[in-house]
Amino acid sequence: MNEREPGTVEEITGKYVHVDVNGTTQRVYFEEAGPEDGIPLLCQHTAGCNNQEWRHLLADEEITDEYRVIAYDLPFHGKSVPPTGQEWWEEDYTLTADRFAATIVAIADALELEDPIYMGSSMGGNITLELADWHPDRFRALIGLECGAYSPGFYIDWLDDPHVNTTEVNAYSCWGLMAKQSPEQTRRETMYLYEQGATGVFKGDLYYYSVDHDYREKLGDIDATECPLYVVNGEYDYLTTPEDGKEVAEGVGDGCVSVEIADIGHFPMSENPVLFNAYLKEILADITGERSGRLPEVLTPDDVGVELNRTEARAVRREAEEAE
Amino acid sequence: MTEAELASHEWWEQYKETVNSDPEMQVRGHDRFNENFYVQLDDERFLVAMDDGKVSEVIPNPGLNQEWSFGVEGGRGAWEEFVQEVPPAFNHEIIASNYRTQVKGESGHLQLTGNNRQIFQNLRPFQRALDLMRHTHNNGGNL
């Protein structure tokens, strides 16, 4: 996808914004595309990765025609290096719910975003529950991709261990989080992005994801009538399943809807951007009121007119059979 | 699609050929993958002996004379799902299966056994070796 003529310059721009997070100045890198007065769509990457996961959304002209898509690197990730003025190398990087939510709100404030839609996946999906609970007045809507009330078991010591190749292991411990029917090129790209994380950052993020985030007893504290909450989970996500998404929606009640997205996994925007962007258009249309009727419990490729690449595998097989 | 039954002698011969001609097993140092592992379907166990990223032999019912570092166990039904061209969710990759078994306490999935350090030291080529079971079963394709 996104094969363009040589010489094509894409409309995406990259900038830095200085952000005050709990008294510390962070120099945050972000990329954006779309009209300045478009509806801001603020995009958070997954644990241990960076804003490149949103590269195909930023290049989707149907979406950037209407939305100002902004994808940032959380501090310590991608081009948002650790803060100057702190001796950060003397302690392990550890992300907490407080620090994570405060950073997201501070970025929205620093960019002076008016009524932005927030969207994040994995740890970026889970944090929609804290944002919905603590900052419902700051956002127009929250989209929690691969969101669950509790996602234990992924704070794993081997992901920051001198005896293993953490670059590779951090990536390939996530390989099975994607659906096998997502295109191999984009699945491989997703792993390539994962291999770019700094030592200890993935594990530090997973402290939030698998330890500090636990909303099992607190879903009732969220009033999603103030700020609509969409919990959107992929069929192949074994960490936060569509069933987990339904439990969140049931626990939160009014204003929260869960949608299962079929044939896709835990990195939907990155592993299968064509299918995800088509699914996302349905969610965004629901937020803006352009969609008639309720969102279905399950969105499928047929619903959004996307053909999966199974045919590619079958073509390879046929070719091999014919050669015999 | 190979006509051989999963884990039959003919199937393993085809698997050996698939792994040994796989270019990915020869890049980024994976030609150093030397940890033997076993695959267990119900009560049938097969030792896959690795030699510099290639399968040197597959030994049914390994005993005291053999050594291995880790393995994957599951019912034949779970393995039949795993090798499908489009496997169902949660039996589509070993870490996925293992998570649903160990963290969520579900049955019907595959489970890792053995030395965890050696598993993570060799995760990528080990995972590739397992994915190549699907390639063997479906005569290639990118799934």
Side-chain angles (χ1 to χ4, degrees):
Chain A
M1 82 170 276
N2 286 335
E3 292 289 338
R4 307 273 176 94
E5 286 295 311
T8 302
V9 177
E10 297 190 27
E11 297 297 322
I12 302 164
T13 57
K15 295 176 184 171
Y16 288 90
V17 59
H18 293 254
V19 179
D20 183 324
V21 182
N22 296 335
T24 299
T25 301
Q26 307 277 357
R27 185 171 180 249
V28 170
Y29 178 74
F30 68 100
E31 293 178 352
E32 66 174 313
E36 202 174 329
D37 60 352
I39 300 169
L41 178 59
L42 191 61
C43 301
Q44 166 69 53
H45 54 77
T46 63
C49 205
N50 61 62
N51 75 352
Q52 292 180 89
E53 283 181 329
W54 298 103
R55 67 205 176 284
H56 296 295
L57 181 65
L58 285 159
D60 187 316
E61 289 171 359
E62 273 187 48
I63 286 177
T64 57
D65 196 41
E66 188 178 352
Y67 292 87
R68 179 185 172 196
V69 180
I70 303 163
Y72 56 86
D73 289 339
L74 209 62
F76 290 83
H77 301 69
K79 291 183 179 176
S80 297
V81 295
T84 306
Q86 267 193 354
E87 293 174 346
W88 49 267
W89 53 89
E90 292 184 352
E91 59 182 25
D92 282 331
Y93 165 83
T94 305
L95 187 67
T96 62
D98 286 341
R99 179 174 170 176
F100 193 12
T103 305
I104 294 166
V105 172
I107 291 169
D109 288 346
L111 291 172
E112 298 180 353
L113 302 181
E114 195 177 330
D115 291 332
I117 298 169
Y118 166 89
M119 172 166 63
S121 179
S122 186
M123 72 167 188
N126 282 1
I127 197 69
T128 56
L129 302 186
E130 282 89 347
L131 293 175
D133 191 3
W134 302 341
H135 304 284
D137 53 340
R138 187 62 188 87
F139 300 95
R140 174 175 176 156
L142 299 162
I143 304 173
L145 305 171
E146 316 316 321
C147 169
Y150 184 50
S151 42
F154 233 63
Y155 188 57
I156 300 167
D157 286 343
W158 299 114
L159 303 181
D160 182 14
D161 188 287
H163 294 98
V164 304
N165 178 348
T166 52
T167 302
E168 188 172 80
V169 164
N170 285 349
Y172 281 91
S173 59
C174 297
W175 180 239
L177 281 164
M178 296 181 286
K180 294 291 183 198
Q181 55 268 51
S182 290
E184 178 154 24
Q185 280 292 336
T186 40
R187 278 188 289 144
R188 296 287 186 163
E189 275 182 21
T190 303
M191 294 298 90
Y192 182 81
L193 301 181
Y194 250 88
E195 290 183 287
Q196 297 171 26
T199 304
V201 169
F202 184 38
K203 190 184 172 203
D205 282 345
L206 292 172
Y207 176 79
Y208 162 72
Y209 181 75
S210 270
V211 181
D212 203 31
H213 172 81
D214 185 353
Y215 256 69
R216 285 174 295 179
E217 304 298 325
K218 295 186 282 189
L219 292 171
D221 296 349
I222 297 170
D223 179 1
T225 59
E226 284 187 67
C227 176
L229 173 60
Y230 294 79
V231 180
V232 182
N233 290 25
E235 180 187 2
Y236 277 72
D237 179 4
Y238 65 81
L239 290 177
T240 40
T241 65
E243 196 57 39
D244 295 327
K246 276 185 206 159
E247 285 174 17
V248 169
E250 283 164 14
V252 173
D254 289 348
C256 182
V257 293
S258 66
V259 180
E260 174 178 347
I261 43 177
D263 288 300
I264 205 162
H266 190 80
F267 305 98
M269 64 291 187
S270 185
E271 70 176 80
N272 194 342
V274 171
L275 183 58
F276 172 71
N277 290 1
Y279 284 149
L280 177 62
K281 285 165 194 167
E282 300 293 325
I283 310 289
L284 292 173
D286 199 67
I287 292 171
T288 57
E290 290 164 39
R291 191 178 200 286
S292 59
R294 290 160 64 97
L295 283 163
E297 284 185 16
V298 183
L299 273 170
T300 69
D302 283 347
D303 293 333
V304 292
V306 172
E307 198 171 332
L308 294 179
N309 75 331
R310 296 173 192 187
T311 48
E312 193 181 329
R314 293 197 184 100
V316 170
R317 196 176 66 215
R318 270 199 304 275
E319 203 174 296
E321 283 168 357
E322 281 166 15
E324 281 174 4
Chain B
M1 183 168 174
T2 176
E3 297 297 319
E5 187 193 358
L6 173 64
S8 63
H9 174 75
E10 187 189 353
W11 191 95
W12 282 116
E13 284 299 303
Q14 183 64 43
Y15 174 74
K16 189 175 165 183
E17 201 177 309
T18 303
V19 174
N20 294 353
S21 61
D22 182 49
E24 191 174 337
M25 292 297 265
Q26 302 301 311
V27 299
R28 291 199 301 190
H30 296 158
D31 56 353
R32 299 180 201 170
F33 177 31
N34 282 310
E35 303 292 344
N36 297 348
F37 64 93
Y38 71 81
V39 167
Q40 185 161 326
L41 306 83
D42 291 330
D43 296 328
E44 292 178 284
R45 182 176 284 193
F46 300 89
L47 179 69
V48 181
M50 297 302 301
D51 181 14
D52 288 345
K54 292 187 187 293
V55 178
S56 57
E57 56 182 332
V58 177
I59 303 163
N61 306 312
L64 285 174
N65 286 335
Q66 279 84 38
E67 60 172 330
W68 54 85
S69 303
F70 39 82
V72 188
E73 297 179 2
R76 179 170 273 271
W79 282 108
E80 295 277 5
E81 288 190 357
F82 179 84
V83 298
Q84 282 177 27
E85 185 181 14
V86 182
F90 312 155
N91 266 345
H92 63 292
E93 192 264 353
I94 181 54
I95 302 291
S97 269
N98 192 65
Y99 180 87
R100 296 310 300 181
T101 307
Q102 287 206 335
V103 180
K104 294 296 180 180
E106 294 176 0
S107 58
H109 303 299
L110 307 177
Q111 193 166 3
L112 284 167
T113 66
N115 185 313
N116 286 322
R117 173 175 292 171
Q118 288 170 313
I119 288 171
F120 281 94
Q121 285 175 330
N122 295 280
L123 180 63
R124 181 66 200 118
F126 173 43
Q127 211 170 37
R128 180 68 184 167
L130 295 174
D131 276 350
L132 288 171
M133 292 175 69
R134 183 175 305 109
H135 283 240
T136 302
H137 206 69
N138 298 289
N139 198 16
N142 67 350
L143 299 176

